[in-house]
């Protein structure tokens, strides 16, 4: 902790927060970056900031990523200001004396944002109002960016939600088997192969130009939303590193994958893992009305397919990380990525079975039959 405190001190100085540091606490939700809640004395008043050390194994080009974030937050903040809404509905990053919104260091880069007052993150919730509100927040985020030219954004992780390419990479790594782990996962590979034809359906619709890219968030876990600590209304969408061109079905789907699972993302007891239809409906009720007017009918028709696709894709990504030696996702124990894989695969199979039921709910909310 001493080491971290020293580091935070030097980063604070870079971002012109030169007053005494009152406290440093680790926020440990993300699977990729290291995040700290830091209170600093600014002109005699305690103020909270979020310090984040970004993983450059995952995000290789800090300059371009932080440029994306600058574009996005400026675009949203201007809209909020024009409509007289609170600036707290968007993240705000600090700048250094040279006007940069990040600071480089040996194994990563640092950035600092203002702590949005009176907010909490929620990692999992059975409360349908909370889930519905998260749906509204992600839907609204997308609508705010619907007039932003997606081609201005750098692709921070190439092929991030290219499910077909994710599967191809996994199969290549299984053949190469760099850590001698492939034999443990024959059953999982067979199950993934079985689901592949449906999992690449979104790719096919992009290839045939029936679906087009928009600006999407691409990492829509419910813990990437800040909620008002008293009312539990969603306030701000965070974790903007993967905002780049994508499909609406990816955002809807990834959120369902996480929020509508009856268990945690890494639940080892697979009998607890299933799609919860009430939570599915609640998220859809929040999300769809926010985005519907900007979407084509096909985009709406593919939302439920997105849930299945994102879940299978994450099973593939966790398994790929397991096969290649656990370098991408933070793991808490040996075999953690395999446990995550099995959980996501079980959920994907359940979604496969329930695709019709999910589509009926979407159709009902969107108000047209398909
Ligand atoms: C990572 O950083 P975090 O925990 O919000 C990952 C997502 C995965 C998620 C699974 C950049 O998100 O794609 O869905 O873990 N982010 C990146 O929990 O790979
Ligand atoms: Mg996150």
């Amino acid at each position: 902790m001493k080491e971290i405190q020293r580091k935070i001190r030097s980063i604070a100085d870079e971002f012109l927060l030169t007053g005494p540091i009152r406290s440093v606490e680790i926020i440990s939700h993300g699977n990729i970056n290291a995040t700290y809640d830091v209170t600093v004395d600014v002109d005699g008043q305690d103020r909270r900031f979020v310090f984040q050390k970004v993983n450059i194994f995952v995000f290789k080009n800090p300059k371009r990523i932080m440029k994306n974030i600058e574009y996005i937050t400026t675009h949203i903040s201007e809209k909020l200001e024009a409509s007289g809404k609170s600036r707290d509905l968007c993240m705000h990053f600090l700048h250094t004396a040279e006007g940069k919104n990040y600071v480089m260091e040996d194994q990563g880069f640092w950035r600092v944002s203002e702590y949005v007052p009176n907010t909490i993150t929620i990692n999992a919730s059975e409360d349908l109002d909370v889930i519905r509100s998260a749906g509204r927040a992600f839907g609204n985020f997308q609508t705010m960016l619907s007039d932003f030219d997606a081609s201005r954004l750098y692709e921070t992780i190439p092929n991030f939600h290219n499910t077909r390419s994710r599967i191809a990479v996994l199969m290549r790594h299984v053949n190469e088997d760099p850590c001698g782990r492939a034999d443990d996962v024959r059953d999982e590979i067979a199950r993934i192969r079985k689901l592949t034809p449906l999992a690449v359906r979104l790719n096919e619709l992009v290839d045939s130009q029936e679906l087009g890219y928009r600006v999407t968030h691409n990492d829509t876990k419910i813990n990437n939303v800040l909620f008002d600590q008293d009312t539990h209304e969603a306030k701000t969408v965070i974790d903007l590193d993967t905002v780049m061109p994508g499909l609406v079905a990816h955002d809807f789907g990834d959120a369902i994958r996480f929020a509508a699972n009856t268990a945690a993302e890494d639940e080892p007891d697979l009998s607890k893992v299933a799609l919860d239809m009430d939570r599915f409906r609640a998220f859809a009720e929040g999300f769809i009305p926010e985005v519907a007017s900007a979407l084509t009918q096909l985009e709406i028709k593919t939302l439920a397919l997105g849930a299945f696709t994102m879940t299978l894709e994450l099973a593939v990504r966790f398994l790929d990380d397991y096969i290649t030696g656990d370098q991408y996702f933070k793991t808490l124990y040996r075999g953690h990525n395999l446990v995550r894989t099995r959980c996501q695969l079980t959920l994907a199979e359940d979604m496969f079975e329930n695709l019709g039921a999910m589509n009926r709910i979407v159709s009902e909310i969107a108000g047209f039959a398909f």
Side-chain angles (χ1 to χ4, degrees):
M1 201 63 190
K2 268 257 150 57
E3 180 71 21
I4 289 170
Q5 301 232 334
R6 254 200 306 276
K7 192 80 228 171
I8 296 282
R9 174 72 272 165
S10 82
I11 300 298
D13 288 339
E14 297 257 21
F15 284 99
L16 309 174
L17 297 171
T18 50
I21 291 178
R22 299 289 179 215
S23 66
V24 175
E25 274 169 52
I26 299 175
I27 306 176
S28 54
H29 284 307
N31 283 332
I32 308 285
N33 299 326
T35 312
Y36 305 89
D37 175 351
V38 180
T39 303
V40 187
D41 178 317
V42 179
D43 300 332
Q45 281 196 1
D46 281 1
R47 284 187 49 199
R48 280 168 88 182
F49 297 89
V50 176
F51 281 53
Q52 196 166 46
K53 182 176 176 190
V54 184
N55 176 334
I56 50 168
F57 177 78
V58 172
F59 294 107
K60 300 193 165 38
N61 192 333
K63 203 170 165 180
R64 305 285 301 268
I65 287 167
M66 293 312 290
K67 187 123 208 149
N68 276 6
I69 290 184
E70 184 105 355
Y71 285 152
I72 296 155
T73 52
T74 306
H75 185 87
I76 295 179
S77 297
E78 283 172 4
K79 281 197 170 172
L80 291 172
E81 206 182 313
S83 59
K85 292 200 180 128
S86 162
R87 74 190 287 280
D88 290 347
L89 298 173
C90 182
M91 292 185 84
H92 296 276
F93 287 86
L94 272 61
H95 291 82
T96 65
E98 302 90 63
K100 287 198 311 199
N101 58 358
Y102 66 96
V103 165
M104 282 308 294
E105 65 145 40
D106 299 346
Q107 317 109 27
F109 70 93
W110 285 84
R111 61 186 170 208
V112 177
S113 57
E114 293 174 24
Y115 195 101
V116 183
N118 307 318
T119 54
I120 50 165
T121 54
I122 296 179
N123 202 36
S125 180
E126 291 177 25
D127 183 336
L128 299 182
D129 290 332
V130 166
I131 294 173
R132 199 176 291 109
S133 184
R136 275 197 294 273
F138 282 121
N140 179 258
F141 180 80
Q142 196 159 108
T143 302
M144 293 271 229
L145 291 168
S146 59
D147 58 345
F148 187 91
D149 175 6
S151 69
R152 286 174 70 201
L153 293 178
Y154 164 71
E155 204 180 351
T156 58
I157 303 180
N159 289 322
F160 189 55
H161 286 319
N162 182 340
T163 311
R164 184 163 52 203
S165 125
R166 293 280 189 185
I167 296 172
V169 168
L170 169 67
M171 296 309 169
R172 196 175 73 230
H173 288 153
V174 166
N175 283 335
E176 293 165 359
D177 196 14
C179 304
R181 293 179 170 183
D183 273 343
D184 313 346
V185 300
R186 295 292 163 206
D187 175 53
E188 285 73 18
I189 295 291
R191 287 159 66 197
I192 288 169
R193 282 195 199 283
K194 207 166 147 209
L195 296 175
T196 293
L198 189 64
V200 301
R201 183 74 192 121
L202 289 174
N203 282 101
E204 292 165 359
L205 292 169
V206 170
D207 291 346
S208 62
Q209 297 183 355
E210 286 164 88
L211 280 182
Y213 287 122
R214 300 174 175 278
V215 180
T216 46
H217 182 280
N218 294 307
D219 188 3
T220 50
K221 293 201 289 197
I222 198 166
N223 63 20
N224 284 333
V225 176
L226 300 181
F227 293 87
D228 184 294
Q229 68 187 18
D230 303 316
T231 65
H232 288 190
E233 270 298 312
K235 253 178 134 172
T236 315
V237 167
I238 59 170
D239 219 342
L240 307 177
D241 298 304
T242 52
V243 176
M244 58 184 158
L247 300 180
V248 185
H250 295 152
D251 273 6
F252 179 82
D254 196 40
I256 295 298
R257 172 193 77 68
F258 194 82
N261 184 352
T262 49
E265 182 179 84
D266 57 353
E267 173 58 57
D269 178 354
L270 298 176
S271 68
K272 294 187 181 156
V273 177
L275 171 68
D276 181 318
M277 276 302 175
D278 294 331
R279 294 186 214 175
F280 176 88
R281 178 186 286 276
F283 188 87
E285 282 171 353
F287 187 86
I288 295 172
E290 287 287 336
V291 292
S293 63
L295 302 192
T296 65
Q297 289 210 335
L298 184 62
E299 283 179 306
I300 292 174
K301 284 186 193 170
T302 51
L303 292 177
L305 173 61
F308 160 77
T309 307
M310 286 295 93
T311 308
L312 194 270
E313 181 187 280
L314 195 64
V316 167
R317 293 174 59 198
F318 284 145
L319 188 54
D320 182 46
D321 202 29
Y322 178 73
I323 291 289
T324 54
D326 305 314
Q327 296 190 63
Y328 186 99
F329 295 103
K330 288 183 209 159
T331 50
L332 299 177
Y333 53 87
R334 200 182 145 79
H336 196 175
N337 272 320
L338 186 52
V339 167
R340 288 168 168 154
T341 304
R342 290 182 172 139
C343 175
Q344 296 302 302
L345 197 48
T346 302
L347 183 62
E349 286 166 345
D350 196 33
M351 288 180 173
F352 184 85
E353 297 299 325
N354 281 291
L355 202 54
M358 286 194 278
N359 274 325
R360 277 192 292 282
I361 293 173
V362 172
S363 157
E364 203 185 292
I365 297 169
F368 72 96
F370 59 88

